[in-house]
Amino acid sequence: MSISVENISKLYGEQKALNNISFKVNKPEIVGFLGPNGAGKSTMMKILTTYIEPTEGEAKVNDFDIALQKQQVQLSVGYLPEHNPLYLEQYVREYLAFNAQVYGVNKTRIEEVIELTGLTPEAHKKIGQLSKGYRQRVGLANALLHNPDVLILDEPTTGLDPNQLVDIRNLIKSIGKEKTVFLSTHIMQEVEAMCDRVIIINKGEIVANKTLKELRDDKEQVVVVEFDYRVEDAFLLKLPKVKQVVNTHDFVYEITFTTTDDMRSHVFDFAHDNQLKILQLNQKNASLESMFRELTNQ
Ligand code: ADP
Ligand code: MG
């Protein structure tokens, strides 16, 4: 097991940042840790990288205990912090060489991670001369130096422009083929673009833990129908697999079904059986984005 978290809670003074969190991450897998700002993502990541200690609970990274085997955990993990502290006056190789020394890593590994993260054309520059996208690559190169099995990346794509975003996503995806990647984000599309699984956290609690496939499969469907006459909601609630009926305006109804099967023919039959005319009939899929908003009440 790459990451195993059991009943972790974290209090900052009076404030509970994490409330009894448990989850597991296998290898190799890219798992998105999704939640709005302040949800507790960075706190969880700092605990897993041994930067801070939990108030309660246990966790293991690469089967090493975060409280009892700190050093082994640190050697197993590559960490890209949320605000990556780069030294702008340092050259890329100089920065990586310093960290290579800290980890006792061979110098040839520096060139390897430069190549691996696509830094080669910029590697002769000072970090301060690099774009945000390339600075993130330096952070990733640094996290990869000691060839850890697990990468913990705190909001690795935040603040990147669209081109940089695509490049860094691709880089993370290729890293994820061999290593376990646990990355945080507050943007649902990031999860859709990169991850095999998503763990959604809100106010320090886990509200969903699903593969992307599961999320898509239990996606709800909304059928928007306009009749030529008023219909009682209770009547429409008799349709199969209906979750909710909302009369949005006039004779227009939004019917939520808990299935991905196209339910329009059922609505059509319903109208026919009740001598109603259908003036319009459309199907919408509840997107992952709206599911995230719903789960986190945003
Ligand atoms: P996220 O990374 O999801 O935005 P954080 O883990 O940074 O969330 O923060 C979770 C909550 O804990 C927030 O309400 C934040 O204000 C609070 N918090 C984070 N770090 C500290 C700290 N060092 N001292 C006090 N409160 C903190
Ligand atoms: Mg954070």
Side-chain angles (χ1 to χ4, degrees):
M1 197 63 63
S2 291
I3 300 175
S4 150
V5 172
E6 273 178 47
N7 308 111
I8 290 267
S9 293
K10 175 71 185 177
L11 284 160
Y12 291 114
E14 294 281 286
Q15 194 192 348
K16 203 160 213 180
L18 295 174
N19 187 12
N20 202 20
I21 288 214
S22 303
F23 64 87
K24 287 182 169 33
V25 178
N26 304 310
K27 188 189 173 183
E29 193 182 22
I30 304 183
V31 176
F33 197 36
L34 176 69
N37 287 326
K41 305 181 294 294
S42 297
T43 299
M44 188 68 243
M45 290 183 148
K46 285 177 200 161
I47 290 171
L48 289 174
T49 50
T50 75
Y51 275 74
I52 60 174
E53 288 177 1
T55 313
E56 270 180 68
E58 289 172 15
K60 286 185 178 158
V61 178
N62 226 9
D63 296 324
F64 296 117
D65 190 294
I66 54 156
L68 306 172
Q69 297 165 295
K70 271 192 186 171
Q71 205 176 359
Q72 287 95 322
V73 170
Q74 286 164 9
L75 288 172
S76 302
V77 168
Y79 178 38
L80 178 67
E82 189 171 22
H83 305 290
N84 192 18
L86 294 170
Y87 300 95
L88 302 185
E89 281 306 309
Q90 272 187 337
Y91 288 95
V92 172
R93 283 196 174 82
E94 195 185 353
Y95 174 75
L96 293 173
F98 176 79
N99 289 301
Q101 209 177 1
V102 172
Y103 280 111
V105 168
N106 199 312
K107 282 234 160 109
T108 55
R109 179 65 185 162
I110 297 173
E111 296 309 313
E112 264 175 43
V113 294
I114 285 173
E115 172 92 37
L116 199 68
T117 54
L119 264 173
T120 310
E122 303 285 295
H124 62 285
K125 293 187 181 170
K126 279 188 177 179
I127 291 170
Q129 295 172 307
L130 302 181
S131 66
K132 170 92 173 139
Y134 272 94
R135 287 182 198 182
Q136 282 302 71
R137 287 173 199 254
V138 175
L140 280 169
N142 184 49
L144 287 164
L145 264 178
H146 56 299
N147 203 10
D149 289 329
V150 181
L151 279 176
I152 295 186
L153 313 176
D154 199 352
E155 307 238 4
T157 57
T158 296
L160 301 182
D161 73 31
N163 289 329
Q164 296 167 345
L165 197 66
V166 172
D167 290 344
I168 295 290
R169 280 177 181 170
N170 287 337
L171 179 55
I172 291 172
K173 273 200 270 189
S174 74
I175 294 170
K177 289 191 182 127
E178 288 167 24
K179 296 182 186 294
T180 300
V181 179
F182 186 56
L183 68 89
S184 70
T185 173
H186 59 276
I187 302 161
M188 184 73 214
Q189 288 95 317
E190 291 302 293
V191 171
E192 288 189 84
M194 283 184 282
C195 302
D196 305 310
R197 188 149 65 91
V198 61
I199 296 174
I200 305 181
I201 179 171
N202 188 42
K203 297 183 184 138
E205 294 187 5
I206 289 179
V207 293
N209 180 350
K210 293 192 170 182
T211 64
L212 269 269
K213 187 177 177 310
E214 283 170 339
L215 263 185
R216 291 205 179 92
D217 287 352
D218 48 53
K219 206 154 61 170
E220 293 177 349
Q221 161 189 195
V222 176
V223 171
V224 181
V225 58
E226 182 177 6
F227 298 112
D228 64 340
Y229 205 76
R230 166 135 194 91
V231 184
E232 289 302 321
D233 290 1
F235 229 34
L236 289 166
L237 283 168
K238 288 183 187 150
L239 280 160
K241 295 178 184 164
V242 171
K243 182 185 167 195
Q244 189 188 332
V245 174
V246 180
N247 182 199
T248 52
H249 58 277
D250 300 334
F251 307 140
V252 179
Y253 298 83
E254 282 198 9
I255 311 170
T256 306
F257 294 97
T258 53
T259 173
T260 48
D261 296 343
D262 190 341
M263 296 304 282
R264 284 176 299 180
S265 63
H266 290 269
V267 177
F268 192 84
D269 290 345
F270 169 88
H272 181 262
D273 294 347
N274 293 284
Q275 280 121 37
L276 291 161
K277 284 203 180 73
I278 287 183
L279 303 180
Q280 60 154 321
L281 182 61
N282 295 305
Q283 184 198 34
K284 298 195 290 193
N285 279 316
S287 68
L288 291 178
E289 181 80 29
S290 67
M291 185 178 303
F292 173 53
R293 275 202 301 270
E294 198 178 303
L295 281 171
T296 58
N297 292 319
Q298 286 196 319

